[in-house]
Amino acid sequence: IMAKADPHKTARAAAEKDGFEYWLSHPHIYSEGAPVDVGEEGLGRMVPWSYMIKYHRDHPEVITIDREGNKQWMVPEYAYPGLRTYKAAEFAYMAKTYKPTGIIASMRSETSQLIDPPAHADQFGFNKPVVDDMKRLYNVDIMTDPRFDWKSASFKSDDEMVQKWRELRGSYITELYREIRQEMRKANPKVKFAVLLS
């Protein structure tokens, strides 16, 4: 489709002609697609999903997992440096190719259009780099410590160490946005960058 009629180039040209800013919205931070064999039929569902990011197909380990290893498709765990590099290059490409006024990164996810949403806010986030960083930083094994098992009577959402785990996972997102901004500046320093949280 993009080879036949690139909507970004067309919109950029139209905006320039009429004196408008052109902001490009890129919703793929947590909506990265899924394999065709993933998904559950139901109201509001799109099964099979229409796309899957190549990096995720080649590196399925980056999809966030729960303690049992179940994946929450479309939602990557940005603890992986290679994944952040891939994502930053994507934004840099758009900044260089389309020269928009700015690019908006959306944090929304479409995962509930494919599979049921998590049963609990702390259900996922147990990928190997996260487990390793928690051991290295706090000498805690989140795979065996019941404080990190939302099904356990020992789980407390306000536990200090559980909060450290959340902060660690948040730090990967912060690093992702640093790397995106850095690569966008190299590609086109004039392009602004914004994040949509909803």
Side-chain angles (χ1 to χ4, degrees):
I1 293 172
M2 296 293 276
K4 291 180 180 178
D6 189 326
H8 297 300
K9 285 184 179 177
T10 302
R12 176 71 177 93
E16 194 170 82
K17 178 182 173 187
D18 293 329
F20 288 112
E21 290 187 351
Y22 174 54
W23 283 78
L24 194 155
S25 176
H26 188 61
H28 301 298
I29 297 295
Y30 288 123
S31 289
E32 301 283 40
V36 295
D37 61 342
V38 170
E40 301 164 7
E41 296 284 348
L43 185 63
R45 297 289 171 89
M46 190 169 88
V47 180
W49 198 253
S50 61
Y51 65 87
M52 183 177 184
I53 301 298
K54 181 181 184 305
Y55 191 91
H56 292 193
R57 187 185 67 228
D58 296 343
H59 302 277
E61 72 277 5
V62 304
I63 303 301
T64 193
I65 59 172
D66 64 15
R67 283 167 65 113
E68 287 78 43
N70 300 306
K71 294 182 185 317
Q72 185 183 8
W73 281 102
M74 295 201 195
V75 180
E77 189 67 58
Y78 284 104
Y80 294 88
L83 174 61
R84 294 195 306 269
T85 298
Y86 173 86
K87 184 55 64 178
E90 197 175 272
F91 277 80
Y93 170 82
M94 290 186 292
K96 183 176 182 179
T97 304
Y98 302 120
K99 301 174 181 63
T101 305
I103 300 176
I104 302 168
S106 175
M107 298 283 284
R108 73 177 173 86
S109 180
E110 298 169 315
T111 188
S112 64
Q113 295 177 42
L114 183 71
I115 57 176
D116 288 339
H120 195 277
D122 293 309
Q123 182 175 343
F124 290 88
F126 294 90
N127 297 63
K128 187 175 184 325
V130 184
V131 174
D132 292 347
D133 281 349
M134 284 299 291
K135 284 180 184 174
R136 178 179 56 82
L137 293 168
Y138 305 110
N139 196 30
V140 172
D141 186 349
I142 63 174
M143 294 300 291
T144 59
D145 191 320
R147 291 179 295 175
F148 297 87
D149 181 0
W150 65 274
K151 297 176 188 175
S152 169
S154 300
F155 174 80
K156 288 189 203 172
S157 63
D158 61 350
D159 184 275
E160 180 183 354
M161 201 52 66
V162 172
Q163 183 58 29
K164 294 287 186 191
W165 170 55
R166 294 182 190 122
E167 290 169 4
L168 175 65
R169 293 186 70 212
S171 75
Y172 304 134
I173 300 299
T174 301
E175 185 57 31
L176 168 68
Y177 285 135
R178 282 192 187 116
E179 292 176 20
I180 288 174
R181 179 72 272 188
Q182 178 181 323
E183 294 306 308
M184 281 177 59
R185 281 193 181 117
K186 289 180 193 173
N188 187 337
K190 293 181 180 178
V191 179
K192 298 173 185 175
F193 182 51
V195 177
L196 181 65
L197 298 178
S198 61

